[in-house]
Structure formats: structure tokens, C-alpha cells
Amino acid sequence: MSKDDKKEPGYVLGTEEDGTDSFDTITALVAADHQHDIKLRTMSWQKTACLLAGEQVCLAIMAQSWSLSVLGWVPGIITMVLCAFFFWVTSITMHKYIMKHPHIMDICDFGYHVFGQSKVAYVFSAFMMLANNILLIGFHVLTGAKVLNTLSDHTLCTAVFSIIVAIMGIIMSAPRTLQHVSFMSMFSSACMGIAILLFLVFAGIEAAPLYGYNGNYPTDGPVKTYAFPLPGTTWVACMNAVMNITFLWVPQILFPTFISEMERPQDFPKALAVLAAISTILFIVPSAIGFRYLGQYATAPAFGSLGVTAYKKASFGFVIVPTLVIGVIYANVTGKFLYTRILGKSRHSHSHTVVGWGVWGLIMVGIWVLAFVFAEIIPSMGDFLSLLSAAFDSFFGFIYFSVAYWQLNRGSLFKGLGKTALTVLNIFIMLVGLFLLGPGLYAAVEAIIADYAGAVTPAFTCSNMSI
């Protein structure tokens, strides 16, 4: 289906002159959607906030104590605060741009439009989105297998546990609307919150952690925290710690799809404000407490540093719910993109037909099977995620939105002190994106080379992958 097929008759993408025209267009889009059997544009801002929290409150939070153990208090906290600030600025820019062009349905449409309706940008965005989402789903398949390994004391092959997780993911991916997925997100956020709380309690009551990357306690000396990186810390290690923090704060690849399924997309900043408040607390406070009690023994995820097996199982076990639900969210966004490419504007795309549900089911099976394969054949998934994080975050967290700001403000970039300050800020955001794309990718590749110099886990392994 061509891009023109997605436009309503008489409408030219990007011709709105002001917010009033955009709101009229949104009203027309919602009215047209509500005539279908399967209605997409139904989410309130409250349900969108639940969906955002479900996607953001994830296992990656538990890797931030490790980032602090590499960077130290000062660079670590500064990086977290800056990422939070950039997250808010870029997300608001994205929303403003979509409000000017409300036909945007996903990050691919966003890339197509922000780069001057370029088909090359559309194809590039599509490739990056598919690669990012499927590999992240694969990461969650692998994480689910780790959880089941840990809880069961490795009673089955890891590959079998991965198959179980993939099957559960396929079943949970049946809903075709994000409104239904948002209900799962509430339980996901709650379970991850319980996991974090239990970890903090257990880390606090333990006499000392057990495991660290430099050996079991007290091989690396007494637990200590520090303001700056320890002597001997490499630039590559610091850069990967920074990318680990950045990765947690860059979910915008999903936002255009979320906004496109809101009944009032103009209310998205309300949902975003809820997410920003939750994220600021959950991303920084548990990480700081974890670093305080684990010090240089912090691992990623931090559950692995706990010394009592019962503590580890009790806290890490709750992670299975967000692992599956976040995989479902990414699968839904990915599936919708493929689904609309296959069925276009036919009645099957928005009705309860055998063809429509059959195509949706096959797409979901394909996504999860491919994710399972990636989870099994890539020996060091964490390294590849670091590599892909540098590539994806640079574009979908920084570069795209700096360009969007320029498109929104052409002709008035330096009009007044306030606008000049915003322009300078967005230039800096662009430079951050380019830095991640250059030195960030270099650091990720160096980490992969170092890890592959040692032993690697074989594909489709039965090896114990408990934390």
C-alpha cells in the first residue's frame, strides 16, 4: 500500500496551518475509526498513562545500580537527570509535531514526514523499528527464560523455557487494540514495583551482597560507594554505562502509535507527565539505594548480587509479568505496522473477519518465533542490545526530534531569548544523538569484541542461565 492510500480524500499530509485545523482533522479521524467493528482510537489519557508505565517500568531499572557502580555518584546521577530532561523535551516536541500532522500512525510515518516526506526515511525508519522491536522482544524471551531458570533451579533446558515464554507471548498478543493491552500494563507495573520493593528490602537486610563481576564478596573488598569512577575504569565501560541509562529513558519509538490510538491525542502530555513523575522516582531512587547497599558488587540486573537464594527468587520471580507484557506491547506495535502493510484499508483490517484475525495471528506467531530465534542464536544478547541501543537511541531518542523541532520552528529559530534557548538546547540534543551514534557505537563494538574473546554460550543451549 502506498503512503497516499493512507490519506483521507481531499487531505494532504502536513497542510494544517494551525491547531484548529489539526483538531478538526483529529475529530474526523476519530469519527471514521468509530464506524469500524474494531475501534483503535479509543484510549483515554489515563489508559495511555497505564500503557506508558507498563512499557517503561521494566527490568532495565534494575541495571541502573550497575551503571552507578561504573560511573560513580556524580556522573551517574547527572546522566540520569539529563536523560530525564531530554526525554521530556523530545517527547513534547514529538507530540507537537504529531498534533500538526495527526495522520501520523507510527514512528515510520513520523520519520517519513519529518525528513520532507522522504520514502528513503520511511524505509529506514521501518527497518530500524522492526529490528529494534523484534530484538527487544527476543531480549524479553531470554529474560523470561532466565526467570524460569532461577525459580525452578534449572529443571529444564533454557531453550525449552524460551519456547514456553514465546508461546505465552503469542497467546497474550491476541488483542489487536492497545486499550486492551493497557489493562495488562497495570498488572505489569504493579509486579515490577513489587519486585523492586522486595529487592530493596532484601538488599538492606542482608549483611553483604554475594556476587559481583570482580568476584564474590569479599573478594573485591568491603562494599563501598564513590563519587567518580574507580581507578582503572575504562572509557568503554563508562560509555556502556551511559548507554545503559540512555536506553531506559528512550521509549519514544512507540509513542506515535500510542498517540494514534488515543481518542483525544491532544491529552497525551497529561499521560506523559504521569510517566515522567513515575520514571524519575523509579529510575533514580531504587538505583541509588541499590548502589548504596551493593557498591562495586552491583550487577545487571541487581537481583543477581543478592546473597540469599530465597531473596533472589522472591524478588526476581515477579519480573516474569512485566517481561511478558512489555514483549506484548512491542509485538502489538510491530504487528500493527505489518498488518496495515498487508491488509491496507480493506474491511479485514478493521473488522472481525476470519482473514483479519488469521493474518493477525500469523503475524504474531512470526514475530515471537523470530524473536525466539534471535534470543537463542545470539550468544551475548546484552552486548547486541548495547550495540542496537546506541544505533536506535541516537535516532529515536534524539536526532529525529531535533529535526522535528527545526521543522516546527523554521523561520523563527532565534526569535526572542526563549526561542533561542530552545534552539540551542535542540542543537545540543542533536549533538548528543550524534555522539551516541559515533563513540557510542564504537564502545558497544569494543565490548562485544572483548566478550567474544572469552567463552560464549552456544545457540539453543541447555546451559543454566539463572542469575
Side-chain angles (χ1 to χ4, degrees), residues 40-309:
L40 298 179
R41 295 179 180 269
T42 54
M43 283 201 299
S44 63
W45 72 263
Q46 293 92 340
K47 290 179 180 177
T48 304
C50 290
L51 190 65
L52 290 170
E55 191 273 329
Q56 277 288 80
V57 182
C58 60
L59 181 62
I61 295 171
M62 300 307 297
Q64 304 308 299
S65 293
W66 170 79
S67 293
L68 287 175
S69 75
V70 174
L71 298 171
W73 285 116
V74 176
I77 296 298
I78 289 175
T79 301
M80 290 178 177
V81 172
L82 282 176
C83 283
F85 177 65
F86 292 153
F87 162 77
W88 177 261
V89 172
T90 54
S91 298
I92 289 297
T93 299
M94 168 188 277
H95 179 255
K96 287 180 178 179
Y97 193 86
I98 292 176
M99 286 298 93
K100 293 287 288 184
H101 312 290
H103 276 67
I104 290 174
M105 297 295 292
D106 50 41
I107 195 68
C108 307
D109 283 349
F110 189 92
Y112 164 81
H113 204 63
V114 82
F115 288 101
Q117 300 188 9
S118 165
K119 291 183 179 179
V120 173
Y122 183 84
V123 172
F124 173 78
S125 301
F127 169 77
M128 295 283 278
M129 182 193 74
L130 291 173
N132 177 75
N133 291 5
I134 292 174
L135 281 161
L136 278 175
I137 297 167
F139 175 74
H140 286 89
V141 170
L142 186 63
T143 300
K146 283 179 178 288
V147 175
L148 296 179
N149 260 301
T150 303
L151 294 178
S152 68
D153 294 321
H154 188 55
T155 56
L156 293 173
C157 284
T158 294
V160 174
F161 281 134
S162 296
I163 291 173
I164 293 171
V165 173
I167 292 173
M168 294 172 67
I170 292 170
I171 295 170
M172 292 174 64
S173 297
R176 283 162 64 177
T177 66
L178 286 172
Q179 175 168 264
H180 290 92
V181 177
S182 69
F183 289 111
M184 301 183 203
S185 296
M186 290 187 287
F187 295 102
S188 172
S189 301
C191 286
M192 193 64 222
I194 293 171
I196 293 170
L197 182 61
L198 287 174
F199 162 77
L200 295 177
V201 171
F202 295 148
I205 64 177
E206 275 191 339
L210 171 65
Y211 172 73
Y213 291 131
N214 291 325
N216 290 351
Y217 181 86
T219 304
D220 204 25
V223 173
K224 60 184 177 182
T225 62
Y226 28 88
F228 297 93
L230 292 173
T233 304
T234 65
W235 180 85
V236 170
C238 289
M239 194 64 214
N240 277 298
V242 169
M243 287 192 295
N244 187 57
I245 296 171
T246 304
F247 176 76
L248 183 61
W249 278 101
V250 179
Q252 290 99 323
I253 190 172
L254 303 180
F255 284 8
T257 305
F258 293 173
I259 294 171
S260 74
E261 294 200 23
M262 292 183 69
E263 192 164 17
R264 286 178 52 83
Q266 56 267 42
D267 289 341
F268 180 74
K270 298 178 183 178
L272 189 66
V274 172
L275 175 65
I278 293 173
S279 298
T280 301
I281 295 170
L282 283 182
F283 291 2
I284 297 178
V285 175
S287 307
I289 296 174
F291 181 44
R292 160 66 179 80
Y293 286 106
L294 302 179
Q296 74 275 29
Y297 290 92
T299 58
F303 300 110
S305 294
L306 295 175
V308 180
T309 301

